[in-house]
Amino acid sequence: LFTSRGYTGGLDHSANDVRQQTTGAHVQYLTETTQSDTVVAYQQKAFGAVDFYGVTNGRLAAEELRDTLVMTSWRHDHGKHDGFIRLAASWREIQDVYTLDERDPYYYENTHTTRTGTAAIDGRLAGDAPLALTWRLALEDERIDSDGLFKNAPTKGLGQHERQRYIGMVLPEWSTEAFRLRLGTQIVDFSGEKLEPLLISDITAHLTESHTLLLACTQTVRQPSFTELEYESPTSLGSRGLGNERNTECAITLTSRWSDFFRTECTIFRRETRHAVDWIQTAAGGRWQATDMGDVDTEGCHLLGSWTTSDDASVEVSYQYLAKRTLTALHASRYLFHYPD
């Protein structure tokens, strides 16, 4: 069993305080070859949202979230080479209430409930040979139910929608003591859309006992959220017809252990995003609109140093550099060009 309750006062604005409480339970059952887990959790969080989401006109905005999660899984280990099979399922409900100005709550309010159910089976097949196979099949169902108020009149909010995702993944692996190669694919089928084949690949080379080199190239795809598609408020407007956002990221990482107490990690990466979606303003004071920004290229590096000072303590120092580029003309961006992602 676990429970917690917390309060944080507003720093950027006195009204932006956070009140949060969490409660839940985790039950686990273990045998020599199996593990079963069930988690039930509930979290309620209310916070001030003054100047959030690009709203900078002095309105006393606030938001409240109620998050319920039920998750269960069963895993059976087989063989001596990390082979396993696992079944998992989850259900999550998030209730979100956003009020544009608490001093006039009937001017604009949006309430939506998102319910997401998932079921998955995955595993790893491995034997004495250097070959292995990791695989996964999954189904996700997402539904949203919404309504709202604008100038004391009811609105449909984000509306009522549902969609499904079907996912299949195969990842063959070839490895020796000093080298591992994985090259596979993940195929995502969005309901009512074409299949999205995605690359998964990485090479791990143990150069010495203290230095390991990792080269990885992966692809991901994301559907626009229902908020990006359907939202409408006095300050923000969604855009129906936005396409899927596709990312290709390649990175090279060198991990070095210089002693029992000190290690470093250096990563250089490049990410290409096609049909990147963000909320942008084209002029000062204008309405924020969810927009397909076309191509966004991101390059950067990440440096990390870690010192283990005792059995119970360590110190980490990190630095990250990012450079992003887009050809889309804009006055301001809400997320892509304001956050180190």
Side-chain angles (χ1 to χ4, degrees):
L1 297 175
F2 56 88
T3 185
S4 66
R5 188 182 183 93
Y7 172 83
T8 304
L11 298 177
D12 54 337
H13 192 283
S14 59
N16 285 350
D17 56 345
V18 180
R19 299 171 300 282
Q20 178 177 308
Q21 58 183 20
T22 304
T23 186
H26 176 203
V27 178
Q28 185 177 81
Y29 178 73
L30 294 172
T31 70
E32 289 186 1
T33 58
T34 64
Q35 175 177 329
S36 300
D37 292 270
T38 299
V39 176
V40 178
Y42 172 79
Q43 182 182 81
Q44 181 178 356
K45 180 165 66 174
F47 55 92
V50 177
D51 294 339
F52 285 16
Y53 316 123
V55 180
T56 57
N57 53 9
R59 295 190 180 274
L60 206 61
E63 190 165 2
E64 182 175 358
L65 300 170
R66 298 172 183 262
D67 190 346
T68 304
L69 173 67
V70 179
M71 181 174 60
T72 185
S73 67
W74 174 85
R75 170 172 169 147
H76 173 68
D77 295 322
H78 55 82
K80 59 181 180 180
H81 299 282
D82 299 326
F84 71 91
I85 185 170
R86 175 171 50 200
L87 301 172
S90 67
W91 178 84
R92 187 178 188 184
E93 179 182 271
I94 301 176
Q95 297 176 319
D96 188 332
V97 179
Y98 174 76
T99 303
L100 185 60
D101 196 331
E102 287 191 306
R103 295 166 299 191
D104 185 7
Y106 298 107
Y107 175 69
Y108 178 82
E109 183 176 87
N110 182 70
T111 302
H112 64 271
T113 301
T114 304
R115 298 178 179 90
T116 306
T118 64
I121 178 171
D122 67 322
R124 187 173 188 271
L125 302 174
D128 294 329
L131 298 177
L133 176 68
T134 302
W135 57 274
R136 183 173 187 262
L137 296 172
L139 163 66
E140 301 177 2
D141 180 86
E142 181 184 11
R143 300 168 186 261
I144 189 169
D145 191 0
S146 178
D147 56 46
L149 290 171
F150 181 52
K151 295 183 178 179
N152 207 25
T155 70
K156 67 175 184 177
L158 301 179
Q160 288 75 42
H161 308 277
E162 65 176 80
R163 60 189 180 186
Q164 292 76 40
R165 291 178 285 272
Y166 309 93
I167 303 168
M169 185 268 289
V170 288
L171 186 60
E173 172 184 326
W174 180 76
S175 60
T176 66
E177 291 185 0
F179 182 85
R180 185 186 73 176
L181 169 64
R182 300 195 302 175
L183 179 61
T185 186
Q186 177 172 268
I187 297 177
V188 182
D189 179 8
F190 297 109
S191 55
E193 300 182 19
K194 65 178 182 179
L195 297 177
E196 293 275 6
L198 305 170
L199 173 68
I200 306 173
S201 64
D202 62 60
I203 300 173
T204 303
H206 302 286
L207 305 178
T208 67
E209 291 185 357
S210 304
H211 303 282
T212 301
L213 186 67
L214 171 64
L215 292 86
C217 190
T218 59
Q219 293 179 319
T220 59
V221 64
R222 182 185 75 87
Q223 281 183 302
S225 69
F226 289 123
T227 302
E228 291 166 334
L229 293 170
E230 303 289 342
Y231 194 73
E232 183 174 2
S233 79
T235 57
S236 301
L237 182 65
S239 299
R240 296 179 182 177
L242 291 172
N244 293 338
E245 183 179 282
R246 190 182 182 100
N247 291 279
T248 300
E249 181 167 334
C250 296
I252 178 171
T253 301
L254 177 63
T255 302
S256 301
R257 180 166 292 279
W258 302 97
S259 69
D260 293 338
F261 310 101
F262 178 61
R263 70 176 181 90
T264 59
E265 186 177 290
C266 176
T267 301
I268 301 173
F269 60 89
R270 174 179 172 83
R271 180 168 62 248
E272 298 177 352
T273 304
R274 302 297 174 251
H275 300 292
V277 176
D278 195 14
W279 299 84
I280 67 170
Q281 280 182 328
T282 56
R287 207 178 193 186
W288 294 90
Q289 182 158 8
T291 304
D292 183 340
M293 300 185 64
D295 298 345
V296 174
D297 295 331
T298 305
E299 298 169 346
C301 67
H302 181 260
L303 305 176
L304 171 70
S306 177
W307 292 264
T308 300
T309 56
S310 69
D311 292 340
D312 302 318
S314 63
V315 176
E316 288 191 354
V317 177
S318 64
Y319 170 79
Q320 180 170 274
Y321 169 80
L322 288 177
K324 294 186 178 184
R325 293 186 298 274
T326 182
L327 297 178
T328 301
L330 56 92
H331 169 73
S333 160
R334 187 180 291 179
Y335 299 117
L336 275 179
F337 290 90
H338 276 189
Y339 289 85
D341 179 22

